[in-house]
């Protein structure tokens, strides 16, 4: 049914349709509206006998999900930013234990300096924690990916993060085609765990594994991700049959098949990029885009096939490694290894900085003329940077950055310095 | 155990079995005993935690009619019981992390509730580090939500699994690998540490108790009582550690008894935040009797007695005796 609704509420209602049995909640902006709406749905009896647990931290949230999942319940939680980092130890543990938990990440920057707005620093920090990571471009994507995520997680015994951009998606009201319960039930059978904490058939879960077998256990986890590369497109096509909508999969191409310049990006910025591609196409530029939906597992072959004829590739990403550059771009390079295609990185949207069409048009234009620096940080205020660099140059020990910038503006401690 | 026993065998503190009524007598274990932590595990000789856990889990199994799930924090108990590819657990058992056992147990209980299987009970267990330090946030959360979990802390007063480092349960003056006695230092300092059972009581949970491996009947009775209740329950068990305490393996039970008899480890029960029962001590044992057999306290006696420190420890014991009314 077509509805105009907030992204978070759409996700919450999609989760409810997936009949989770245990939901653990800890508030953190910008995912909070999801668990708020879920608490109402549980209270109103919309999710059967689902248990809703208000926990004391994100570490506990995922730990409760771990216990619930090991006891055979379909378990869900959501988090963002610092919350994801706070539960890091449990994130690795959940995948190591092979528990098919689904977790929404309302993508948000990581402090310091504290920042509640969107970028991908949080989920990118945990890209190699053994979880599958799916990135939503729209709220429709977010709804559909969550439904597929439970299927995927339970089929492979691997937990799945569905990443959606904080505020840009979580707080945006837009049209969503909300599936009905019958469709979801046809697609997603009840959770039948392979292994369960059952007193009638007791197992030891989470035993120590030493050097004699640890590498094999880890290799097999790697292999599961390779399997996921096969399974994700299958689940997307099954989804299309039941829901009548192309959604999910590994990647999605937009006017890129014959393009000389191909943009690669994840998440909501792909929407803006589509518009920029259209405008540049109108101006005769041979340009297209590829949306990476599944970042983990990384779709090596599919992406290579989509990019191998491009003359240049531009990766737009909302996170980076200090002193190095982009993060996603490294995986893209891996997919294109052996080819000499120039690859540019545009770091954009950090801490919620708006990514405008105008800025992308300019940067893509420079890249198509091979004039773009790499990595390129979009829309930096060079006045602030140059000033701080000049100041730092005069001092041997320059100190912390954020406070220096603020001090420069006369804002430290609320009084002029 | 509510029965007041006044008769002791000559020369011991052990109650004569014949003087007890039938249900309180020590008897040969039956074939029905679950042996949930079965033999062959890799605990050290004289391990108090292994002894305590064996009685706790078997009692919980008995009370739950074997419908029990156990969640374990990282620590000695987890490591010595599950070396790859072996497991000593004859119970549905799970280990996740060091600091999240209470939350994992909450999750298990929630799953069982969602599935209408409240007949299955949940036991969580960890050492003092996993419980009162790194797991304390999760433990407090589990308590305040009154989740249906019995949590048992096996307190050996330091991080023994990692090689005897100080924890929030390490007593003052104890030498550990991180509270050394070199350079004129006197081991762990006074005025630190936390009283986990009292903090548990402050959550107003249905049941809190302390116990030791010196009185296994008492431990069993407390587990039995806890298993008969629902909501969050906490039992804090003193488990001497020969390795970390520098004591003889044969002295584990004796030291656990002395910890109680000195007043340093009072045995009590509390319901909804109020103490309902404290186990009297027969005669007050001077703290030196408890401290002297432990090398972690050797610096209190050599080269000459540290009169000041000993008096301060005696004062702690005396305060406990007064606070819980342990004498008389």
């Amino acid at each position: 049914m077509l509805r105009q609704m907030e992204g978070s509420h759409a996700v919450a209602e999609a989760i409810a349709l997936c009949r989770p049995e245990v939901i653990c909640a800890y508030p953190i902006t910008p995912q909070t509206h999801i668990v708020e709406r879920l608490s109402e749905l549980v209270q109103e009896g919309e999710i059967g006998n689902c248990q809703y647990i208000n926990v004391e931290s994100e570490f506990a949230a995922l730990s409760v999900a771990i216990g619930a999942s090991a006891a055979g319940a379909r378990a869900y939680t959501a988090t963002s930013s610092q919350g994801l980092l706070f539960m890091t130890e449990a994130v690795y543990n959940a995948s190591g234990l092979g528990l098919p938990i689904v977790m929404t990440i309302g993508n948000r920057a990581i402090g310091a300096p504290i920042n509640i707005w969107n970028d991908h620093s949080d989920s990118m920090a945990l890209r190699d924690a053994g979880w599958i990571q799916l990135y939503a471009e729209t709220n429709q994507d977010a709804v559909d990916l969550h439904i597929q995520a439970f299927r995927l997680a339970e089929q492979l015994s691997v937990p799945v993060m569905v990443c959606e951009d904080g505020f840009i998606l979580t707080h945006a009201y837009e049209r969503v085609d909300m599936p009905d319960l019958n469709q979801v039930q046809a697609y997603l059978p009840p959770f039948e765990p392979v292994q369960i904490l059952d007193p009638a058939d007791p197992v030891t879960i989470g035993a120590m594994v030493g050097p004699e077998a640890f590498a094999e256990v880890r290799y097999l986890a790697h292999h599961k991700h390779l399997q996921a590369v096969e399974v994700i497109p299958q689940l997307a096509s099954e989804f299309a049959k039941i829901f009548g909508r192309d959604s999910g999969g590994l990647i999605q191409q937009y006017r890129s098949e014959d393009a000389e310049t191909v943009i690669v990006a994840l998440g909501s910025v792909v929407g803006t990029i589509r518009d920029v591609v259209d405008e540049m196409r109108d101006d005769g530029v041979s340009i297209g885009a590829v949306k990476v939906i599944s970042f983990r597992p990384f779709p090596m072959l599919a992406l290579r096939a989509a990019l191998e004829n491009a003359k240049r590739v531009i990766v737009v990403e909302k996170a980076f490694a200090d002193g190095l550059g982009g993060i996603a771009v490294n995986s893209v390079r891996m997919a294109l290894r052996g080819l000499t295609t120039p690859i540019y990185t545009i770091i954009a949207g950090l801490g919620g900085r708006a990514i405008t069409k105008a800025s992308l048009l300019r940067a893509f234009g420079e890249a198509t003329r091979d004039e773009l620096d790499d990595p390129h940080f979009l829309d930096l205020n060079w006045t602030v940077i140059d000033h701080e660099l000049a100041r730092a140059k005069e001092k041997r020990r320059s100190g912390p950055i954020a406070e220096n910038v603020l001090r420069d503006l006369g804002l430290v401690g609320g009084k002029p310095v | 155990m509510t029965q007041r026993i006044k008769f002791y065998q000559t020369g011991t503190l052990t109650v004569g079995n014949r003087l007890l009524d039938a249900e309180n007598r020590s008897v040969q274990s039956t074939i029905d005993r679950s042996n949930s932590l079965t033999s062959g595990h890799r605990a050290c000789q004289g391990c108090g935690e292994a002894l305590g856990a064996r009685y706790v889990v078997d009692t919980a199994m008995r009370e739950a009619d074997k419908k029990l799930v156990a969640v374990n924090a990282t620590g000695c108990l987890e490591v010595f019981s599950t070396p790859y590819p072996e497991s000593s657990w004859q119970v549905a058992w799970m280990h996740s992390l060091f600091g999240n056992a209470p939350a994992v147990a909450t999750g298990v209980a929630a799953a069982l509730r969602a599935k209408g299987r409240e007949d299955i009970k949940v036991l969580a267990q960890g050492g003092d580090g996993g419980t009162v330090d790194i797991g304390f946030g999760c433990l407090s959360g589990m308590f305040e939500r009154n989740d249906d979990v019995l949590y048992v802390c096996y307190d050996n007063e330091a991080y023994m699994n990692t090689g005897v480092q100080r924890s929030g349960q390490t007593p003052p003056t104890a030498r550990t690998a991180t509270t050394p006695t070199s350079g004129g230092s006197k081991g762990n300092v006074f005025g630190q540490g936390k009283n986990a059972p009292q903090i548990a009581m402050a959550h107003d949970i249905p049941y809190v108790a302390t116990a030791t491996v010196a009185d296994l009947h008492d431990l069993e009775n407390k587990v039995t009582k806890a298993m008969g209740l629902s909501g969050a329950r906490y039992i804090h068990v003193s488990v001497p550690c020969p390795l970390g305490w520098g004591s003889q393996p044969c002295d584990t039970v004796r030291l656990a008894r002395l910890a109680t008899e000195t007043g340093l480890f009072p045995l009590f029960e509390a319901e909804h935040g109020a103490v309902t029962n404290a186990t009297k001590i027969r005669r007050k044992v001077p703290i030196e009797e408890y401290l002297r057999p432990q090398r972690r306290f050797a610096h209190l006696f050599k080269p000459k007695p540290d009169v000041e420190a000993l008096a301060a420890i005696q004062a702690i014991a005396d305060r406990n005796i007064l606070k819980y009314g342990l004498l008389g």
Side-chain angles (χ1 to χ4, degrees):
Chain A
M1 186 172 72
L2 288 179
R3 287 167 64 189
Q4 186 76 12
M5 60 198 303
E6 195 200 46
S8 294
H9 290 180
V11 165
E13 295 195 17
I15 294 300
L17 291 173
C18 295
R19 319 311 281 173
E21 291 163 290
V22 175
I23 294 171
C24 358
Y26 189 79
I28 183 166
T29 304
Q31 68 71 32
T32 319
H33 290 182
I34 299 173
V35 292
E36 284 176 1
R37 179 74 187 118
L38 278 168
S39 79
E40 289 173 347
L41 291 167
V42 171
Q43 281 301 315
E44 291 159 7
E46 294 289 321
I47 324 183
N49 201 25
C50 179
Q51 303 295 308
Y52 187 94
I53 318 279
N54 279 298
V55 291
E56 71 284 354
S57 74
E58 288 90 356
F59 177 63
L62 190 53
S63 298
V64 168
I66 285 170
S69 187
R74 184 174 282 164
Y76 169 84
T77 189
T79 192
S80 296
S81 183
Q82 319 293 144
L84 181 62
L85 297 199
F86 193 54
M87 63 164 73
T88 298
E89 192 190 11
V91 171
Y92 278 80
N93 194 248
S95 56
L97 290 168
L99 298 172
I101 298 161
V102 170
M103 175 161 68
T104 306
I105 309 297
N107 280 114
R108 166 184 152 181
I110 291 169
I114 187 169
N115 176 299
I116 62 164
W117 294 277
N118 168 246
D119 69 30
H120 288 171
S121 307
D122 49 4
S123 55
M124 282 294 161
L126 289 192
R127 66 191 179 277
D128 296 321
W131 287 53
I132 289 168
Q133 284 192 340
L134 308 175
Y135 284 78
E137 177 191 348
T138 61
N139 286 331
Q140 186 68 61
D141 258 5
V143 164
D144 296 348
L145 290 177
H146 277 97
I147 296 166
Q148 295 183 34
F150 281 105
R151 196 52 212 279
L152 180 61
E154 290 166 14
Q155 184 164 332
L156 293 174
S157 294
V158 176
V160 179
M161 285 180 207
V162 180
C163 307
E164 54 172 321
D165 287 320
F167 293 109
I168 297 169
L169 293 182
T170 57
H171 289 55
Y173 279 74
E174 62 181 13
R175 196 182 76 168
V176 174
D177 189 354
M178 187 56 70
D180 65 40
L181 186 58
N182 290 335
Q183 287 175 307
V184 176
Q185 283 180 337
Y187 183 76
L188 178 67
F191 175 34
E192 284 180 24
V194 179
Q195 173 184 273
I196 185 174
L197 286 167
D198 179 7
D201 183 18
V203 286
T204 292
I205 297 178
M208 179 172 264
V209 174
E212 58 279 52
F214 192 79
E216 285 72 19
V217 171
R218 296 294 303 126
Y219 173 81
L220 290 165
H222 164 67
H223 190 262
K224 279 210 172 171
H225 273 236
L226 298 183
Q227 262 183 288
V229 173
E230 310 292 324
V231 173
I232 288 168
Q234 293 165 12
L235 293 184
S237 71
E238 277 187 52
F239 185 90
K241 276 183 206 142
I242 293 176
F243 298 85
R245 195 165 49 243
D246 280 331
S247 209
L250 296 167
I251 61 169
Q252 197 183 70
Q253 291 180 257
Y254 183 71
R255 304 183 78 171
S256 68
E257 285 77 0
D258 61 340
E260 290 179 3
T261 302
V262 180
I263 319 295
V264 177
L266 308 92
S268 64
V269 72
V270 173
T272 314
I273 290 170
R274 286 176 200 268
D275 288 350
V276 176
V277 164
D278 287 346
E279 285 188 25
M280 292 179 79
R281 281 273 181 182
D282 289 348
D283 290 342
V285 181
S286 173
I287 191 167
V290 175
K291 168 168 81 168
V292 174
I293 301 163
S294 169
F295 184 66
R296 289 290 183 270
F298 196 74
M300 286 294 167
L301 296 178
L303 196 67
R304 187 184 177 94
L307 299 179
E308 63 189 349
N309 295 323
K311 286 199 176 153
R312 65 186 67 77
V313 171
I314 306 169
V315 181
V316 178
E317 49 182 319
K318 293 183 174 183
F320 74 104
D322 301 70
L324 190 62
I327 295 170
V329 70
N330 290 331
S331 298
V332 175
R333 280 187 217 284
M334 181 86 168
L336 294 182
R337 63 187 181 276
L339 303 178
T340 54
T341 319
I343 303 175
Y344 298 92
T345 319
I346 297 175
I347 313 292
L350 297 180
R353 174 75 54 91
I355 304 176
T356 63
K357 278 195 330 188
S359 298
L360 288 180
L361 267 171
R362 177 190 54 74
F364 292 170
E366 286 177 19
T368 55
R369 296 188 297 275
D370 291 319
E371 290 168 359
L372 192 72
D373 55 326
D374 181 52
H376 178 80
F377 286 77
L378 197 70
D379 291 341
L380 287 181
N381 181 343
W382 281 99
T383 313
V384 171
I385 293 170
D386 287 340
H387 199 273
E388 170 59 14
L389 289 178
R391 198 196 60 78
K393 207 172 171 183
E394 288 166 19
K395 290 194 171 182
R396 191 171 59 83
R397 298 164 68 240
S398 57
I401 298 162
E403 286 71 20
N404 282 339
V405 169
L406 290 176
R407 198 173 285 120
D408 216 36
L409 297 168
L411 294 174
V412 172
K415 57 188 176 189
V417 185
Chain B
M1 190 159 71
T2 52
Q3 189 183 14
R4 292 288 299 277
I5 304 299
K6 292 280 189 185
F7 305 101
Y8 292 86
Q9 287 181 326
T10 309
T12 76
L13 291 170
T14 317
V15 176
N17 215 25
R18 287 172 295 117
L19 303 173
L20 290 164
D21 57 31
E23 69 182 57
N24 283 321
R25 284 182 195 167
S26 294
V27 292
Q28 200 75 30
S29 68
T30 69
I31 199 165
D32 294 331
R33 181 170 184 148
S34 57
N35 289 312
S36 303
L37 175 61
T38 197
S39 56
H41 59 67
R42 300 184 187 184
C44 304
Q45 196 176 34
C47 173
E49 186 174 37
L51 177 61
R54 177 166 145 75
Y55 276 77
V56 165
V57 185
D58 279 354
T59 307
M61 279 287 269
R62 188 183 69 211
E63 295 305 313
D65 200 15
K66 300 200 172 172
K67 287 189 249 179
L68 186 78
V69 172
V71 174
N72 217 119
T74 308
C76 283
L77 181 58
E78 167 261 328
V79 169
F80 75 61
S81 62
T82 65
Y84 178 84
E86 298 154 7
S87 171
S88 294
W89 296 102
Q90 304 196 92
V91 58
W93 182 93
M94 177 178 188
H95 158 250
S96 171
L97 294 168
F98 198 7
N100 72 353
V104 173
T106 290
V108 173
L112 294 171
R113 206 159 55 245
K115 291 174 177 299
R117 290 300 309 269
E118 286 104 323
D119 56 317
I120 300 174
K121 304 297 174 194
V122 184
L123 169 74
Q125 45 189 358
D128 49 298
T131 304
V132 314
D133 285 352
I134 197 169
F136 213 44
C138 286
L139 187 69
S140 178
M142 189 274 276
F143 284 164
E144 65 85 8
R145 291 186 302 267
N146 200 26
D147 293 329
D148 196 14
V149 173
L150 167 59
Y151 192 100
V152 179
C153 170
Y154 303 106
D155 177 11
N156 54 22
E157 303 182 354
Y159 290 87
M160 300 316 186
N161 188 44
T162 44
V164 196
Q165 294 83 20
R166 178 202 180 276
S167 81
Q169 289 295 136
T170 301
T173 76
R175 184 193 68 195
T176 69
T178 52
T179 53
T181 52
S182 54
S185 160
K186 292 179 178 180
N188 197 33
V189 299
F190 283 92
Q192 296 186 348
K194 51 184 125 177
N195 189 327
Q198 287 285 343
I199 300 171
M201 285 166 61
H203 291 77
D204 280 353
I205 57 176
Y207 187 72
V208 174
T210 60
T212 82
V213 288
D215 191 343
L216 295 169
H217 278 315
D218 181 60
L219 175 60
E220 287 179 317
N221 288 338
K222 284 166 176 167
V223 173
T224 298
K225 190 162 184 178
M227 289 296 290
L229 301 166
S230 51
R233 293 142 288 152
Y234 180 71
I235 302 180
H236 191 102
V237 189
S238 172
V239 292
C241 168
L243 176 83
W245 292 16
S247 55
Q248 294 301 312
C250 60
D251 279 342
T252 293
V253 169
R254 183 165 78 96
L255 285 173
R257 182 178 299 119
L258 288 170
T260 298
E261 294 288 320
T262 50
L264 286 172
F265 191 88
L267 295 183
F268 63 92
E269 294 174 283
E271 292 175 35
H272 297 288
V275 174
T276 53
N277 174 46
T279 305
K280 306 280 186 195
I281 54 185
R282 185 175 170 227
R283 65 178 176 92
K284 189 174 109 177
V285 175
I287 48 112
E288 286 85 352
E289 263 189 60
Y290 167 69
L291 301 176
R292 209 181 284 276
Q294 304 180 47
R295 283 200 307 281
R296 63 175 173 158
F297 296 117
H299 56 286
L300 297 181
F301 301 99
K302 286 180 191 170
K304 58 179 173 44
D306 185 338
V307 180
E308 203 180 321
L310 288 169
I313 296 171
Q314 186 63 59
I316 293 171
D318 291 346
R319 273 202 304 278
N320 282 339
I321 288 169
L322 208 60
K323 179 174 178 181
Y324 295 98
L326 301 179
L327 280 177

